Amino acid sequence: WKRRSSVIPLVIDTDTAQDDCVALLVGLLDPAADLVGITMVAGNVGFDQQVKNAQITLAVAGRSGEVPIYLGCRRPLVREWVSAENVHGDGSGGLSMDEEGLEVSAEHGVDALIRLAAENPGTLRIVAIGPLTNIATALVKDPDFVANVGELYIMGGSNNGRGNITAAAEYNFYVDPEAAKAVFAAGFDITVIPWDQLTLRDAVFSREQLAEIAAIGTPLSSFFTRMVDATLAFDESVGIPGSTHPDSLTAAVLLHPELVTAHARYAVDIETGSDLTRGYSAMSWGVHELEPNARVIESVDAAGFFALIRDVLSHSMTPSRSISGL
Ligand code: BDR
Ligand code: CA
C-alpha cells in the first residue's frame, strides 16, 4: 500500500465510547480525513449516552455542530442488545456538558449511509467500529449500497485468536452476528482490523505511553486521559498491559496505509448458529479453497500508530463549549 495522496471522505459508524471517541478525533483532526458524518449504532453503552459521548467529542475537538450525527439502529437485527458498560463505564470518563442547542440530524443513520454513499459513489469510505447493524440494514434497504461504498473498514473479530466478550468472540461481532455475517457475504471491499492478534499486540498503550499523552497538557489529551481510565482498569484486570485502541487504529489504517506492515486476503465468515461460539469469526487464510472476501490486517507499525495518536492529541484548539470535569 502506498501513502494516500488526497483527502478521504469518510463516515464513522460508531457505538461511541472510549476508543470510538479517539477514532472520531482522528477523523476530525487528521488532515488526511474529511469526516462527512457520524452514524450511531447500538453497542458499547446506552444509545443516548453514546450520542452524548459523540457530542462531547465534537466539542473537545472544537467542532460542535460541524459534523452531523445521524442516529441509526437502536438494537441488533434479531438479538437483544448486550452492553459493554462493565468495560467502558459511561464511555467518556464521567464528563458532562450542557447540550443546549446541540442537535442530531433528523435523517436516520441507515438512510444517511445510503445517501452519502450514493452522493460519493466509489469514493466514500466507511469506518465501522461498532456492531454491523447499520451497515447490514443499509445493504438490505438499497441494492446499490454495496457498489456505492468505496471501501469498508471494519473493527471486529479475531484472526484465529482470542475473543474478548467470550473465549470465541470479539464484542462487535458477538453483539450482532447476523449483521456481521450478512456484511461479509455482501461483496464490499472490506479491510478488517481484528482484536487478536493485531490489537492486543500493536494497539495497546502502556502506562508509560499514557503518561506521555497526559503530559501533553492540551484539552484533547486531558479528555483522552479521563476517558481511557475505565477501560485501562478493565484491560489490566484481564491481563492486558495497557489500554486498547482498536477503533482509532481502524481510522488510522484507512488514512495512513503506510502504517500496515503485514496484511493478507482471507475468507471471513461469522458464526450465528451456536451459543458457545456466537459471533466467532472464521478467517480462512487461503488453503481451504474458499474465495477471499476481505483483507485482514496482520500487523502494523505500533510506534507509528502511537505517534499518530499523540500528534492528534497535541492539537491545541479551544473546545466549542465548556465540559465539566475536564
Ligand atoms: C470493540 O468493542 C468495543 O467495546 C470497542 O469500542 C471496539 O469497537 C472491541 O472488541
Ligand atoms: Ca466500538
Side-chain angles (χ1 to χ4, degrees), residues 15 20 44 129-130 172 247:
D15 54 339
D20 289 78
N44 282 322
I129 52 177
N172 289 339
D247 298 332

Side-chain angles (χ1 to χ4, degrees), residues 159-212:
N159 184 356
N160 299 294
R162 290 182 176 208
N164 49 19
I165 189 158
T166 67
E170 176 282 330
Y171 175 80
N172 289 339
F173 290 178
Y174 178 87
V175 170
D176 200 339
E178 285 77 15
K181 188 176 185 71
V183 167
F184 278 98
F188 289 107
D189 181 342
I190 293 178
T191 297
V192 186
I193 282 67
W195 178 255
D196 190 17
Q197 297 77 43
L198 182 69
T199 300
L200 290 178
R201 189 194 51 227
D202 295 342
V204 175
F205 294 171
S206 67
R207 282 201 173 249
E208 291 70 33
Q209 288 174 309
L210 296 173
E212 199 182 319

Side-chain angles (χ1 to χ4, degrees), residues 142-162:
D142 177 12
D144 296 327
F145 181 65
V146 174
N148 284 340
V149 172
E151 292 176 277
L152 176 58
Y153 276 62
I154 294 174
M155 190 284 127
S158 281
N159 184 356
N160 299 294
R162 290 182 176 208

Side-chain angles (χ1 to χ4, degrees), residues 7 24 37 45 57-58 67 94 102 116 157 170 188 241-242 281-282 300 321:
V7 175
L24 291 182
V45 300
T57 307
L58 284 172
V67 178
L102 292 179
L116 290 165
E170 176 282 330
F188 289 107
S281 53
V300 299
R321 51 180 70 195

Side-chain angles (χ1 to χ4, degrees), residues 277-297:
T277 59
R278 161 181 171 178
Y280 171 75
S281 53
M283 297 195 180
S284 174
W285 52 93
V287 299
H288 306 113
E289 299 185 2
L290 297 169
E291 194 61 39
N293 59 356
R295 176 188 313 110
V296 177
I297 306 301

